[in-house]
Amino acid sequence: MNLRVIYFAFLAAITSLLVACGGGGNSPATPVTTPNGDGVSTSVSASNPNAATSTFATVDTVNSAIASQRFIAIRDDAAWTTFWNEHKAGVPLSTKPTIDFNSQMVVGVILGTRTGCYSVTIRSVYNVNPTFINWHENVPTSGATCPQSGPSPAHLIAVPKNATVQFNQVFD
């Protein structure tokens, strides 16, 4: 095969890959999404380290009493109270953080029950429409000794209120 044909095929493949991953521009990659109800969707995508991030405040990173994986977007105090009571079930004297729902909402990732060595981190937020929440599941290293029955890792943050939230799992 002609070396020139191979070169152009390679160049076309790299260009397609860059376009699919966001191309290094100033906005997050547009991922394929799965609607999850209430203006929340989830996807798996490559993160774009060149996109500008928004600031956010961590509300809670302690393990959750919720056993199943969830991606949450809470926009009012009544929903926040209901969620907090489920999230902290069985934890005595757990004080619900105060959130100004006029300007903020609480978003978060709950992994569901894992062995004791897992955790979750919300790494970045892009406050555009939709609000992009990039999160990472921290997996134990090969050979790590972990408790077999474990917690349900969670990371909850407060961000500026927006109608739509997009959760993107990112990998190292």
Side-chain angles (χ1 to χ4, degrees):
M1 185 179 258
N2 185 331
L3 197 53
R4 190 172 190 180
V5 172
I6 293 171
Y7 171 76
F8 284 113
F10 175 76
L11 195 57
I14 293 298
T15 302
S16 296
L17 182 61
L18 284 174
V19 168
C21 291
N26 289 329
S27 63
T30 303
V32 175
T33 62
T34 304
N36 200 18
D38 195 28
V40 175
S41 56
T42 62
S43 71
V44 176
S45 72
S47 65
N48 183 345
N50 297 320
T53 60
S54 299
T55 59
F56 60 87
T58 293
V59 174
D60 191 34
T61 57
V62 177
N63 295 316
S64 180
I66 298 170
S68 60
Q69 185 176 53
R70 288 196 199 166
F71 302 92
I72 62 157
I74 300 171
R75 296 173 177 87
D76 63 66
D77 195 58
W80 179 228
T81 299
T82 300
F83 170 80
W84 188 260
N85 290 337
E86 182 182 10
H87 172 60
K88 292 298 184 180
V91 178
L93 304 173
S94 177
T95 304
K96 177 184 76 166
T98 302
I99 305 294
D100 178 6
F101 285 104
N102 291 318
S103 61
Q104 293 183 312
M105 64 182 175
V106 174
V107 297
V109 176
I110 300 168
L111 289 182
T113 303
R114 302 282 199 274
T115 61
C117 294
Y118 284 79
S119 64
V120 63
T121 304
I122 294 177
R123 290 191 169 173
S124 59
V125 174
Y126 304 99
N127 198 24
V128 293
N129 197 5
T131 296
F132 288 90
I133 309 296
N134 291 326
W135 64 278
H136 177 72
E137 180 176 3
N138 303 302
V139 179
T141 59
S142 179
T145 304
C146 301
Q148 288 305 305
S149 64
S152 181
H155 191 179
L156 309 177
I157 64 172
V159 297
K161 202 170 202 175
N162 200 339
T164 307
V165 177
Q166 169 70 52
F167 289 89
N168 300 309
Q169 183 175 8
V170 295
F171 300 92
D172 288 333

